[in-house]
Every structure is written in C-alpha cells, then in structure tokens.
Amino acid sequence: MSTISTRFHHEFLREAILEAKKGQSSGGIPIGSIVVHNGKILGRGHNQREQKKSPVLHAEMDALENAGRLPARVYRECVLYTTLSPCSMCSGAILLYGIPKIVIGENVNFMGEEELLKSRGVELIVMNDPECIEMMNQFVAEKPELWCEDIGK
C-alpha cells in the first residue's frame, strides 16, 4: 500500500469514525461507514438499528442507502470504509453491488465475513485502528444487551 493511499485511507476512515460517533451520540451502536468513488464521498451512514428500530440499518447499509441509486459500474469503482468488519448481511450487499475494496477500521471486536469477501475477489484492508477498537470495546462493555441483540452474540 503506497503512502498516498495510506493517507487517504486514514482520512476516509476518520469520516467513518465521525459517522460512528454520530450514531452513538443519538443512542445507537458506534459503527460508521462511507462509500467513496474517485476520492469523493457518495454516501455516509451509521448503524441505526436502535434509533429507527430497524433490523437492517447497519452502517454499511445506511451508507449505501444514502448514496442513492447508482449505476452498477459506479459501485464497481467504489471503496467502502467501515469502522467494523462487515457482517453477513452487509457483506452480501457488498458482493451484490460488486464493490471491489473495503477498508475495515477493526476486526478485533467482531470478525465479519472477511473470508467470504476475499474468496469472491474483494480486496480488504484491515487498519485495526486503535480508536475504532476502543470505541467498540467501550460500547460492548457498557451496553452488552444491545450489542448481543444482533451480531455480537
């Protein structure tokens, strides 16, 4: 990974972290995501299961929803940034839309479907960012019932 791409990955991951904090400050789970195309953020999202009482509004799904309907060729040129390793549902959406690269803030607190994504040719960059790890550690310790309600069994 070149220095330039590393710098951009950190900058865009910071944006996903801001989304995670936005979700947490509104009573939700601190997971954030952004969809980037050619260096431009197309969609931002954060986990809103709690806020909207939704079983599907994970951060990645929210970011895709907020990006709006896009031609398939655009998705195939995007990078998705997420503060936590994508679950089965979000990985399915990534595969469905052909998003070729995912930058993951951390996979210490939860290991999603990374092997599935890799087996289907998706490039994964796992940053294991200390802020992402600590934010999720703290949330799981403070609200284990909310975490365990979904993927954090």
Side-chain angles (χ1 to χ4, degrees):
M1 189 163 46
S2 73
T3 305
I4 293 172
S5 65
T6 300
R7 186 188 67 163
F8 284 121
H9 290 325
H10 283 288
E11 288 176 16
F12 286 127
L13 183 59
R14 299 263 39 98
E15 293 297 318
I17 290 170
L18 290 175
E19 282 297 318
K21 290 179 177 181
K22 183 177 176 182
Q24 186 171 32
S25 71
S26 64
I29 299 170
I31 304 170
S33 184
I34 61 169
V35 178
V36 175
H37 181 257
N38 292 332
K40 180 181 178 219
I41 297 174
L42 298 182
R44 300 171 169 273
H46 53 274
N47 187 297
Q48 295 196 66
R49 281 184 25 232
E50 185 67 9
Q51 298 94 318
K52 294 193 175 180
K53 306 300 181 211
S54 170
V56 297
L57 269 182
H58 287 194
E60 298 89 342
M61 303 298 276
D62 193 37
L64 287 167
E65 177 73 16
N66 290 327
R69 285 182 64 181
L70 301 169
R73 67 170 176 72
V74 174
Y75 290 114
R76 291 190 300 265
E77 298 171 349
C78 286
V79 179
L80 185 135
Y81 291 79
T82 181
T83 58
L84 189 66
S85 185
C87 73
S88 301
M89 176 179 64
C90 296
S91 294
I94 290 163
L95 294 173
L96 177 67
Y97 293 109
I99 298 171
K101 183 184 287 188
I102 313 300
V103 177
I104 299 168
E106 71 111 333
N107 63 6
V108 173
N109 285 289
F110 176 76
M111 173 65 74
E113 296 294 333
E114 292 180 25
E115 289 305 316
L116 171 65
L117 291 167
K118 285 191 263 188
S119 77
R120 298 284 295 275
V122 178
E123 179 184 353
L124 302 181
I125 299 171
V126 180
M127 305 292 277
N128 276 331
D129 178 84
E131 186 175 5
C132 290
I133 294 169
E134 179 53 33
M135 186 169 42
M136 191 53 61
N137 271 339
Q138 184 177 356
F139 176 80
V140 171
E142 291 175 1
K143 297 189 176 182
E145 69 292 339
L146 185 53
W147 172 244
C148 291
E149 179 183 307
D150 191 344
I151 60 175
K153 303 169 186 101

